Amino acid sequence: MSEGSSFQLGVIGSLALSVASSVAIVICNKALISSLGFFTATTLTSWHLMVTFCTLHMAHRLRFFEPKFVDAKTVILFGILNGTSIGLLNLSLGFNSIGFYQMTKLAIIPFTVLLETVFLNKKFSQNIKLSLLVLLLGVGIASITDLKLNLLGSILSLLAIATTCVGQIMTNTIQKRLKVSSTQLLYQSSPYQAAILFVTGPFVDQCLTKRNVFAFNYSFIVLAFIILSCLIAVSVNFSTFLVIGTTSPVTYQVLGHLKTCLVLSFGYTLLHDPFTARNILGILVAIFGMALYSYFSVQEGKKKSADNVIPVSQMRDAESKPLLMAKTTVHHEEKDSDESRKTNGVVTATKDSFA
């Protein structure tokens, strides 16, 4: 199997793992929150990240992977930024209507495109932009119900969008520029993400739910679902870093909206949530937008690969000309140096004389 085919299978595998684990954790958390009354989502996320770190630490001790050094300042900043973005998204959900929160999540894609265009000089074709527009339209139709605005909620949403976009761009940039795998980056950053949420989580949850996480009655069934949620979260966190590292932040957001459509469908099928013709229409439009995005991404990837291939004749010319020129240059330089030494009457040692 060629290297390109192996990479494509790896990307498909990471996308499938991300979708499956994300849908599973949504269903698990929905049961934990709706049926069992455990509403402290931010604190739960800190436990997710701590279990993820412990799992990766065990994998490291068993030599499943080797950690790679990354500048401490970069890792700490990255971890705190990602942890902060999770807290801000939860606060945005708490201080806004469901419809406005969905708008916040939709806005992450165009903001990511804008940031990558301005600061990283990344080019997005008109076809890609059109497919993203169709996708966002479909998800908006399917998920947005009401749009109630308030100043505090709007500020929190803007901060959540900014930190999420920058955090996901950093995830992709760090992995590619520093040659760090998704496992290595997650292993080093997860303690800082867990720490920031572990400290702020109870306060955030207290503000949103008016409930104290330490006063909750932890029955056996609640503990079982919390443990299950934490175990699934290991796969969610790992696949998130893997997808962003192997594809791009925009592709990860597109995948996130596919999860939204699947969650809506599973909610109707398994949990008998209300489902209307508008939901169905929105999901179909969103899936069409995803299909367009996938098609145009694959076509542009093939075009880039074809453009990067150099014809054999050009490769021969490129390989031969510099060598000939280098030999000629060296020959002339040696003649000139010999003449100068003869003229000055000084015998100097060349590099070869020390060999």
Side-chain angles (χ1 to χ4, degrees), residues 19 131 137 259 352:
V19 171
S131 63
L137 177 64
K259 298 172 194 175
D352 293 335

Side-chain angles (χ1 to χ4, degrees), residues 67-308:
K68 186 175 181 179
F69 173 77
V70 179
D71 177 56
K73 185 178 179 181
T74 301
V75 173
I76 293 173
L77 175 64
F78 172 74
I80 292 175
L81 182 66
N82 273 335
T84 303
S85 72
I86 294 171
L88 286 170
L89 281 170
N90 285 338
L91 284 171
S92 174
L93 176 59
F95 285 92
N96 289 303
S97 63
I98 298 295
F100 193 80
Y101 175 71
Q102 288 296 337
M103 281 291 293
T104 300
K105 292 176 67 177
L106 291 178
I108 291 174
I109 284 185
F111 268 85
T112 302
V113 171
L114 177 64
L115 289 176
E116 289 195 308
T117 302
V118 173
F119 294 103
L120 299 180
N121 296 321
K122 189 172 181 179
K123 305 297 182 184
F124 294 88
S125 68
Q126 294 299 323
N127 289 333
I128 292 292
K129 292 177 181 177
L130 176 63
S131 63
L132 291 174
L133 181 62
V134 174
L135 165 66
L136 295 177
L137 177 64
V139 177
I141 293 172
S143 61
I144 295 175
T145 53
D146 58 330
L147 285 175
K148 297 178 181 178
L149 303 178
N150 65 83
L151 180 60
L152 178 59
S154 300
I155 293 173
L156 290 171
S157 292
L158 287 174
L159 291 174
I161 291 169
T163 53
T164 302
C165 292
V166 173
Q168 290 179 1
I169 291 172
M170 283 185 67
T171 302
N172 179 267
T173 305
I174 291 173
Q175 289 188 58
K176 290 185 176 178
R177 291 190 179 179
L178 300 182
K179 307 298 182 184
V180 181
S181 70
S182 55
T183 308
Q184 292 167 334
L185 182 58
L186 180 59
Y187 176 62
Q188 295 201 43
S189 63
S190 55
Y192 301 104
Q193 296 182 59
I196 189 71
L197 290 175
F198 192 78
V199 172
T200 61
F203 171 74
V204 172
D205 291 330
Q206 181 77 29
C207 291
L208 298 178
T209 64
K210 309 300 181 186
R211 301 182 185 187
N212 189 340
V213 65
F214 302 108
F216 188 80
N217 181 24
Y218 292 92
S219 64
F220 175 79
I221 188 68
V222 170
L223 289 175
F225 268 90
I226 288 175
I227 293 171
L228 178 61
S229 178
C230 288
L231 293 176
I232 299 173
V234 175
S235 177
V236 172
N237 291 326
F238 173 72
S239 61
T240 296
F241 278 61
L242 190 61
V243 169
I244 295 176
T246 54
T247 57
S248 70
V250 173
T251 299
Y252 175 72
Q253 286 299 323
V254 170
L255 189 68
H257 293 306
L258 171 61
K259 298 172 194 175
T260 300
C261 294
L262 289 175
V263 167
L264 288 172
S265 302
F266 277 112
Y268 172 72
T269 306
L270 301 178
L271 305 175
H272 306 292
D273 288 341
F275 213 61
T276 65
R278 175 179 170 178
N279 296 131
I280 298 173
L281 174 63
I283 288 174
L284 292 176
V285 173
I287 291 174
F288 178 65
M290 292 173 206
L292 285 177
Y293 178 81
S294 301
Y295 174 77
F296 290 135
S297 296
V298 170
Q299 292 301 314
E300 291 183 11
K302 289 180 180 179
K303 186 178 179 181
K304 284 183 180 179
S305 299
D307 292 340
N308 290 333

